[in-house]
Amino acid sequence: MSVTGHQEPGVPVADHQEPGVPVADHQEPGVPVADREAGPSAPSATAGPGRVLVPYGQGRIRGLDAAELGSHGAAMDGLLALGLPVVPGLTVPAGAAASLCGTDTAEAAVELVEQLSGRRVGDPVRPLLLRLSASAPTEVAGLPPDLACLGFSPARADDLTAVIGRADALYEVWAGTVRMIAEYALDVPAAVLDDALLDTPEPRERVELLLSLAAEHGSRPFPDDPAQQLALAARALLNRWDSPRARRSRRAQKLPAELAVALHVQALRIGPADHSGYGTAVSRDPESGRFSPRGAFFRGVRRSAPPPHTGEPLERLAGGTALLEHSLLTLERHLRTPVTVDFEVRDDEISLLAAAPQPRPPLRAAVCLAADLARDGALGHEEAVRRISPAQVQELLHPQLRLTGGEELLVRGLPASPGAATGAVVLSSERALELAADGTRVVLVAAETNPADVPGMLASAAVLTATGGIASHAAVVARGAGKPAVCGAEGLRVDRAAGTVRFGERVLREGDPVSLDGRTGAVYAGTLSVSVAGPPPELTTLLEWADDVRRLGVRVNADTAAEVDTALALGAEGVGLCRTEHQFLGARLPLIRRVLLAADPSARDEALVALERAQHEDFRALLTAVGNRPVTVRLLDAPLHEFLPAPGEALDAAEEQRAAALREANPMLGLRGVRLALLHERLYPAQAEALFTAWADVSATGVRPQLEVMIPLVSLPEELAAAAAYVRGAADAVAARSGVEVPYRLGTMIETPRAALLAGELAEHAEFFSFGTNDLTQLTYGFSRDDVERQVLASYKERGFLTASPFARLDPHGVGALVALAAERAREVRPGIKLGVCGEHGGDPESIAFCDGLGLDYVSCSAHRVPVARMAAAHSALREPDGNSGSTR
């Protein structure tokens, strides 16, 4: 016989022993039922025995909620309201719990559970025992343990063990019950029990000893009668709950010391071990995230802490996981989250003991469930998108270290590029290329990196530097390549001559293994386990739904065709920043050096011809990969020190002298960007002609990229006008030579505070602005983006001056105010001007929300942050109007 209550939908279900579980209709805890204005059916401590017993499923009908039923009783009401099978049982509400200590109420409880289960205590064929548990109206630690096997006695032992086939399991559980009743209800001193049991490990002998101790030292012998056992069990639970230690525990949890608990009497149906048992299951496979019950099954009588490594896969259940699937599916649709259940199986039938949202469901499970619920119509697409945060998208896209707690932490630096990797330490780009060619995974460790190191960085599994921040050369290149990186690792010392790396007092040699987490900035000794990245296909579906919601465009910062291909596969809508100086990294570094270090105009012109030829090849490949999408190409902008040879590495003494003359005390503020172009007047025309010629070649194949040419680092309208004339002249030259008039927009990068302030005047010459927030942050704060994070920002965050690095999260009050002002002034002059962000902030969710609030057209970020940006833009669009981070449009 089972009882089903009629409960409104939406009642959460929870295990009474799980901290943090939801409760149904929570009200003020600790108020006795007799003192509440419940209906006429509400039990009271003075009511007759039958009036204080509430069968599972009947609580709501009687006007009771979690305050009286406890979280477990309310949860069982919820399960039955969903039509799910539960273990037969009843609740004695909190205000009447003490009545179960009386024999009359206990007898009525035994009879009612017998009716509910269709079995009788003492039946040798279909035997029944009882379990007593307690639950509070709210989450609480320190509940008394369940007392099971009530109704068991030595006289019935043979019949029960014959049915179950496992005597030890039965006696072990009963021993725990007798032990607690002896101490907390029969007044046997705990010291007597502990001393006597110390040398008695065998379960059956422990029971016999406990029964003799109760008879000798207790207030009365342990009874055989089931009702008397239940009454004593209730007294034991309540006495333990009211013990000084338990009351102190509740006060520590900021709960009333007098918090009342409800008692629950459940049927413990005994059956053959081959067809009976108990277990725990989750609804989703943790690896794939798909609906597929996973868990463990234990044969015998349920105990609160099963012996380790004794569980069996759910597939070994009679009937397999099919028994659980209906219940788990129903709960998922009801709770809209991956769920966990405790269950019993008797005679190949399943009954639920508890159910709750999975406390920390695997991310893949959350993603798959959100998509499943939306496909089934249980959620709208927008709500499904809301369920997955941008941070979770990033976590899915990158491998993670599997930490156990025993790892040796070598150093902690700045999390410069997410992901995790292990590999052998190498101290040079050349060594990285050499070992990687043999299939060895390596981690490139350097004081800092420069353009010559790029081939080795790309060959490495990860990059670790002693200096630099999250906008440094190493960080930018690593993010573009999708490599984990940690920068600014304080205390890291690299000795290339000795072939060693020092982490404080710890010294590693080249070839020693390390493991690196680019998400946290931690570096560990040895080879750690790394989880394989790879989001489920459902993430693609959710991102497509996110695209339907967002207003803000998402482009990629990419310099090569390979990077573009990667970004387009991840959902980029075009290229928001092609840094042409990155095309001179590695093997092509000598080309730009020849231009910068030419001995005379003739040598410079010859070098420019070679540069133009090389750039033409790169641009043609890039534009082909972009297709008909927009592509913003920034003309050369890099501090000279990234291209000049280091002291002693020039080709000859004359070149060394010319290089020395070009070296600057502060190259980030020196001869770079448009300034270099105005001094080397053929530089930008050569680049622009290479670009326009490549576009003409690609357009002949039917592909017409939406070309945007960007002038970097302007501060004066006159600088922009002069550079724009170079670009227009190059376009005219290509048209005259090829007959193709290349359509393009001309714009500038806003990365100096003066450019932001003069945005209206610059807009007279520019059809688009792209905010270079890396340099704009550097110049607004006066912070060196390569040094300040390691030396200053960590201290500032500790002292509460800053909540985050302004290079990682856009500063809305200073840098953001400049962006907002520039956008406003530019639109006044050119209402249709296109505005975007291409600094590192283009991949940060909070910064994206700010840009969306300003009404910018797009953000651009590294390829592997594109999905994060897509989700962040959607979340921004789904916020309430007053929740936008930027100004309203």
Side-chain angles (χ1 to χ4, degrees):
M1 176 180 176
S2 64
V3 181
T4 303
H6 301 284
Q7 185 175 7
E8 295 116 76
V11 179
V13 291
D15 186 312
H16 65 283
Q17 293 181 331
E18 286 283 339
V21 295
V23 294
D25 294 332
H26 172 67
Q27 297 186 26
E28 184 179 353
V31 181
V33 174
D35 296 338
R36 300 176 57 84
E37 293 184 4
S41 298
S44 71
T46 59
R51 303 294 292 167
V52 298
L53 305 178
V54 184
Y56 288 161
Q58 292 293 316
R60 184 62 68 91
I61 295 173
R62 299 192 185 190
L64 306 178
D65 54 30
E68 293 90 2
L69 299 173
S71 58
H72 175 72
M76 300 308 274
D77 264 16
L79 292 174
L80 281 165
L82 294 173
L84 298 176
V86 303
V87 172
L90 58 86
T91 295
V92 183
S99 69
L100 191 59
C101 300
T103 304
D104 289 349
T105 302
E107 286 178 349
V110 172
E111 291 175 4
L112 182 52
V113 172
E114 287 178 333
Q115 295 174 24
L116 295 170
S117 64
R119 295 187 178 204
R120 295 189 63 79
V121 178
D123 187 330
V125 179
R126 302 181 71 242
L128 173 70
L129 296 175
L130 304 174
R131 176 189 296 108
L132 181 68
S133 64
S135 75
T138 187
E139 59 184 74
V140 57
L143 283 169
D146 294 357
L147 297 182
C149 293
L150 298 171
F152 186 56
S153 69
R156 301 187 184 102
D158 291 341
D159 290 340
L160 289 170
T161 55
V163 172
I164 196 172
R166 296 191 175 192
D168 282 357
L170 197 59
Y171 276 101
E172 187 170 344
V173 175
W174 196 41
T177 295
V178 176
R179 166 71 170 77
M180 186 166 162
I181 290 175
E183 178 179 353
Y184 287 96
L186 298 178
D187 303 320
V188 179
V192 171
L193 295 168
D194 292 338
D195 291 344
L197 294 174
L198 190 60
D199 298 320
T200 313
E202 203 275 330
R204 188 164 192 156
E205 293 178 2
R206 291 172 73 87
V207 168
E208 293 171 353
L209 179 57
L210 286 164
L211 294 175
S212 67
L213 291 172
E216 180 181 353
H217 298 280
S219 57
R220 57 174 289 192
F222 192 92
D224 288 342
D225 180 72
Q228 292 182 36
Q229 288 186 18
L230 178 60
L232 287 173
R235 185 179 303 277
L237 284 186
L238 293 176
N239 283 342
R240 174 152 172 172
W241 178 246
D242 198 43
S243 68
R245 180 177 180 181
R247 295 170 73 87
R248 286 195 302 272
S249 173
R250 290 194 288 283
R251 284 194 291 268
Q253 299 174 64
K254 301 189 184 319
L255 294 169
E258 296 76 20
L259 183 67
V261 291
L263 298 180
H264 313 284
V265 186
Q266 290 180 343
L268 179 57
R269 296 165 293 180
I270 302 299
D274 289 343
H275 300 277
S276 303
Y278 63 97
T280 300
V282 294
S283 56
R284 301 223 156 218
D285 183 290
E287 295 298 326
S288 69
R290 305 293 168 73
F291 180 83
S292 181
R294 291 289 183 270
F297 171 64
F298 301 87
R299 300 185 187 277
V301 180
R302 179 175 181 250
R303 61 191 90 178
S304 56
H309 312 302
T310 59
E312 303 176 38
L314 295 180
E315 289 74 12
R316 294 189 185 176
L317 275 168
T321 57
L323 288 170
L324 287 165
E325 286 180 359
H326 168 70
S327 295
L328 290 170
L329 270 174
T330 300
L331 286 164
E332 277 200 344
R333 295 308 183 264
H334 177 66
L335 297 175
R336 298 184 176 185
T337 181
V339 295
T340 178
V341 297
D342 292 341
F343 64 91
E344 285 188 346
V345 174
R346 293 289 175 260
D347 302 329
D348 300 336
E349 293 182 359
I350 190 169
S351 299
L352 299 183
L353 291 158
Q358 196 173 344
R360 288 172 294 277
L363 186 48
R364 285 180 175 82
V367 168
C368 290
L369 177 62
D372 289 347
L373 290 173
R375 290 193 192 103
D376 293 345
L379 290 180
H381 288 183
E382 291 185 0
E383 179 58 30
V385 168
R386 280 193 181 97
R387 285 171 162 263
I388 306 302
S389 70
Q392 290 174 315
V393 173
Q394 176 167 291
E395 185 177 338
L396 280 170
L397 291 172
H398 299 285
Q400 308 290 326
L401 291 180
R402 292 192 175 109
L403 302 179
T404 62
E407 296 79 15
E408 179 187 357
L409 178 67
L410 294 172
V411 71
R412 193 177 293 277
L414 299 170
S417 181
T422 66
V425 169
V426 294
L427 305 182
S428 69
S429 179
E430 294 78 14
R431 185 62 173 159
L433 289 166
E434 179 184 337
L435 291 181
D438 294 333
T440 302
R441 293 179 61 82
V442 299
V443 174
L444 178 62
V445 182
E448 62 182 346
T449 63
N450 58 55
D453 293 319
V454 170
M457 296 173 68
L458 298 180
S460 301
V463 178
L464 170 63
T465 66
T467 62
I470 59 175
S472 64
H473 175 270
V476 170
V477 173
R479 280 193 298 270
K483 306 278 186 179
V486 173
C487 295
E490 190 170 359
L492 171 63
R493 299 291 181 268
V494 178
D495 188 338
R496 293 180 64 174
T500 61
V501 184
R502 182 179 292 276
F503 301 89
E505 297 301 316
R506 183 76 156 86
V507 178
L508 297 184
R509 301 197 65 82
E510 194 166 33
D512 288 343
V514 294
S515 300
L516 180 151
D517 188 337
R519 183 176 57 89
T520 64
V523 182
Y524 301 93
T527 302
L528 305 185
S529 176
V530 178
S531 66
V532 178
E538 285 78 1
L539 181 62
T540 299
T541 301
L542 288 171
L543 287 170
E544 289 171 353
W545 294 341
D547 292 340
D548 294 337
V549 172
R550 62 182 168 89
R551 300 178 291 257
L552 199 63
V554 177
R555 300 190 191 178
V556 65
N557 298 340
D559 312 316
T560 66
E563 291 176 2
V564 171
D565 289 339
T566 298
L568 295 181
L570 293 171
E573 299 165 330
V575 174
L577 176 63
C578 169
R579 296 153 293 202
T580 56
E581 63 274 6
H582 282 194
Q583 297 174 341
F584 299 115
L585 303 179
R588 290 191 168 172
L589 182 58
L591 291 175
I592 189 64
R593 279 187 181 171
R594 285 176 58 194
V595 174
L596 298 174
L597 299 175
D600 53 57
S602 176
R604 181 172 292 114
D605 289 344
E606 183 179 329
L608 283 168
V609 169
L611 179 145
E612 184 177 346
R613 188 181 303 116
Q615 289 237 280
H616 175 260
E617 295 176 10
D618 291 336
F619 287 143
R620 187 166 55 191
L622 178 82
L623 296 175
T624 299
V626 168
N628 296 324
R629 302 172 184 86
V631 52
T632 304
V633 177
R634 182 180 72 186
L635 300 181
L636 192 69
D637 175 32
L640 282 185
H641 73 286
E642 292 192 6
F643 295 123
L644 295 177
E649 294 183 1
L651 296 176
D652 52 41
E655 185 175 273
E656 174 66 36
Q657 186 175 5
R658 291 192 294 274
L662 289 172
R663 292 194 184 98
E664 299 169 309
N666 193 341
M668 295 300 289
L669 301 181
L671 189 59
R672 54 176 290 209
V674 70
R675 305 164 190 170
L676 180 65
L678 293 174
L679 292 182
H680 293 266
E681 295 188 355
R682 277 291 301 148
L683 179 59
Y684 277 8
Q687 283 194 289
E689 286 194 32
L691 176 61
F692 293 144
T693 303
W695 191 95
D697 292 346
V698 171
S699 68
T701 68
V703 176
R704 295 177 63 85
Q706 302 170 39
L707 187 59
E708 300 171 347
V709 183
M710 185 160 66
I711 310 299
L713 206 71
V714 299
S715 296
L716 306 168
E718 293 80 5
E719 289 175 319
L720 180 56
Y726 292 156
V727 174
R728 285 193 290 269
D732 293 341
V734 170
R737 187 167 61 245
S738 66
V740 177
E741 291 193 7
V742 179
Y744 68 95
R745 291 173 183 259
L746 192 139
T748 189
M749 181 174 267
I750 304 297
E751 50 194 325
T752 69
R754 193 173 198 276
L757 294 171
L758 298 182
E761 294 180 45
L762 294 176
E764 295 175 2
H765 306 281
E767 297 171 275
F768 71 90
F769 284 171
S770 183
F771 292 95
T773 52
N774 296 347
D775 269 316
L776 189 56
T777 298
Q778 177 173 235
L779 297 174
T780 300
Y781 274 96
F783 284 160
S784 165
R785 72 190 203 190
D786 285 330
D787 302 313
V788 74
E789 287 188 88
R790 179 172 58 90
Q791 298 181 355
V792 176
L793 294 190
S795 170
Y796 276 24
K797 286 190 283 186
E798 289 176 3
R799 300 173 72 175
F801 294 179
L802 296 169
T803 58
S805 165
F807 293 103
R809 183 161 300 150
L810 189 67
D811 158 38
H813 307 294
V815 180
L818 285 172
V819 173
L821 178 66
E824 179 183 354
R825 292 183 175 178
R827 286 169 175 152
E828 289 174 355
V829 173
R830 192 185 293 266
I833 192 169
K834 183 180 288 188
L835 302 173
V837 164
C838 61
E840 182 56 33
H841 305 93
D844 171 64
E846 289 193 27
S847 305
I848 289 169
F850 180 84
C851 295
D852 191 29
L854 291 180
L856 302 190
D857 295 292
Y858 68 88
V859 293
S860 190
C861 57
S862 56
H864 293 273
R865 297 185 82 178
V866 164
V868 178
R870 293 165 64 193
M871 187 62 78
H875 277 239
S876 174
L878 290 171
R879 291 181 181 178
E880 294 298 324
D882 61 356
N884 281 334
S885 298
S887 60
T888 56
R889 295 187 224 190

